[in-house]
Amino acid sequence: MDYNIKFIKEFIQLTINGYEQNWHERNGGNLSYRLKDEEVEAIQKYCDFSGEFKPIGTSVPKLAGEYFLVTGSGKFFRNVSLDPENNICIIQLDEKGENYRILWGLKNGGRPTSELPTHLMNHEIKKVTTNNKHRVIYHCHPANIIALTFTMPLDNKIITRELWEMATECPVVFPSGVGIVEWMVPGGRDIAVATSKLMDKYDVVIWAHHGIFCSGEDFDTTFGLAHTVEKSAEILVKVISMGENKLQTITPQNFRDLAVDFKVTLPEEFLFEK
Ligand code: 2HA
Ligand code: ZN
């Protein structure tokens, strides 16, 4: 493989950055990227098309035939940059969008991420709602956002508003807010369905007591989104830990003024009076 190909280089760089943030203990977290046509062209010569198709565990017809670069199941983010071809793989979906085959990578065996159903169902909904723009789905385990899911109501409106109040850039970076999935068994179709339903509206979905999923156009914006949400959660944890109610904060009218100057639409549902 040519590791200077841009999407491969940036994919590996994200795994380094995520590990350095302490969001990827052991085999925690996973990453996937939906290849563009010219990228599929560029990697053809490294692909082996003789592998057998295996079930994805869900159906994603709108992604039929597409190629993805994904992390491997049980693989550690810490090891991706040290040994890419044993820890990540390129897969292709069949013409129904129900099966995948490995074309490159996972040299000593293995399977794509255990969260493949959620990654692919998120890609499918984002392909439609962003007019083919979003290509990166990223799952990580940041401690502060996870901690908040034990003490805050698992309500999209309440958590969005609290995160927005913690840093002025937040409503600009995630103007559509964050969605929450209550605790569910990870790794299967049910949690994939619940997550992708919320991805219709949000670019960030929090899995209670587990982690977050982010969607974006490229590696920088997707990682930056997770980074911004977790930074905001860290400030919120500090504010709550200081044990006092806020004496001042960013008000609903402040958010409306910000929206005008920064040319973002902030849905009124998050600007309720408290
Ligand atoms: O082990 O994070 O959600 C990978 C995971 C499962
Ligand atoms: Zn996880």
Side-chain angles (χ1 to χ4, degrees):
M1 181 52 74
D2 175 1
Y3 294 112
N4 280 319
I5 296 175
K6 190 166 175 277
F7 77 92
I8 298 179
K9 211 172 167 172
E10 292 183 355
F11 183 101
I12 294 172
Q13 187 59 44
L14 189 152
T15 65
I16 296 171
N17 296 143
Y19 178 71
E20 286 171 348
Q21 290 294 329
N22 197 23
W23 297 344
H24 298 281
E25 73 292 337
R26 204 175 180 277
N27 62 318
N30 25 75
L31 174 64
S32 65
Y33 174 75
R34 186 167 62 87
L35 273 70
K36 297 175 182 165
D37 291 345
E38 62 271 24
E39 292 164 337
V40 168
E41 201 64 44
I43 51 101
Q44 287 294 313
K45 58 174 178 283
Y46 305 104
C47 292
D48 171 1
F49 293 90
S50 67
E52 55 172 317
F53 278 105
K54 295 184 177 154
I56 295 166
T58 190
S59 163
V60 283
K62 296 190 182 93
L63 300 177
E66 292 218 47
Y67 290 61
F68 298 82
L69 178 59
V70 300
T71 48
S73 177
K75 302 299 184 186
F76 295 16
F77 264 48
R78 194 180 88 82
N79 293 333
V80 169
S81 63
L82 303 172
D83 188 6
E85 65 176 347
N86 269 318
N87 291 289
I88 62 179
C89 61
I90 291 173
I91 59 169
Q92 182 193 20
L93 307 194
D94 68 0
E95 76 286 353
K96 285 190 175 149
E98 289 180 358
N99 300 283
Y100 73 87
R101 63 179 169 186
I102 296 176
L103 305 181
W104 170 85
L106 293 177
K107 210 170 126 221
N108 292 334
R111 290 179 285 117
T113 169
S114 58
E115 304 296 357
L116 191 64
T118 296
H119 278 261
L120 294 179
M121 291 191 83
N122 287 348
H123 277 294
E124 187 180 47
I125 187 79
K126 284 302 187 189
K127 181 180 178 184
V128 176
T129 59
T130 70
N131 196 18
N132 206 22
K133 286 206 177 85
H134 277 208
R135 293 189 172 271
V136 181
I137 300 289
Y138 176 42
H139 169 57
C140 56
H141 296 171
N144 291 288
I145 201 80
I146 297 169
L148 288 172
T149 64
F150 292 90
T151 59
M152 291 187 69
L154 299 178
D155 179 298
N156 305 337
K157 291 190 181 70
I158 292 172
I159 294 188
T160 295
R161 175 65 174 277
E162 288 302 312
L163 291 174
W164 277 7
E165 282 185 35
M166 291 303 109
T168 298
E169 67 171 328
C170 287
V172 180
V173 176
F174 48 101
S176 53
V178 302
I180 323 288
V181 173
E182 291 189 7
W183 190 88
M184 290 179 77
V185 176
R189 186 172 183 276
D190 290 352
I191 198 166
V193 170
T195 308
S196 59
K197 255 189 208 153
L198 290 170
M199 277 288 180
D200 185 24
K201 177 168 174 189
Y202 305 104
D203 292 339
V204 183
V205 174
I206 298 170
W207 280 3
H209 325 321
H210 184 144
I212 65 174
F213 266 88
C214 288
S215 172
E217 285 187 28
D218 55 35
F219 294 98
D220 274 351
T221 51
T222 311
F223 186 79
L225 180 56
H227 206 177
T228 306
V229 170
E230 172 58 6
K231 176 77 180 280
S232 165
E234 183 182 348
I235 300 168
L236 186 53
V237 166
K238 287 182 201 290
V239 169
I240 295 167
S241 305
M242 286 187 278
E244 285 180 43
N245 289 326
K246 298 170 213 161
L247 286 186
Q248 51 276 322
T249 187
I250 306 172
T251 67
Q253 191 51 48
N254 292 155
F255 284 123
R256 291 185 192 105
D257 295 343
L258 184 76
V260 174
D261 275 23
F262 281 79
K263 297 177 178 54
V264 289
T265 304
L266 300 180
E268 278 293 321
E269 63 175 312
F270 300 124
L271 303 180
F272 50 87
E273 290 302 328
K274 290 197 268 194

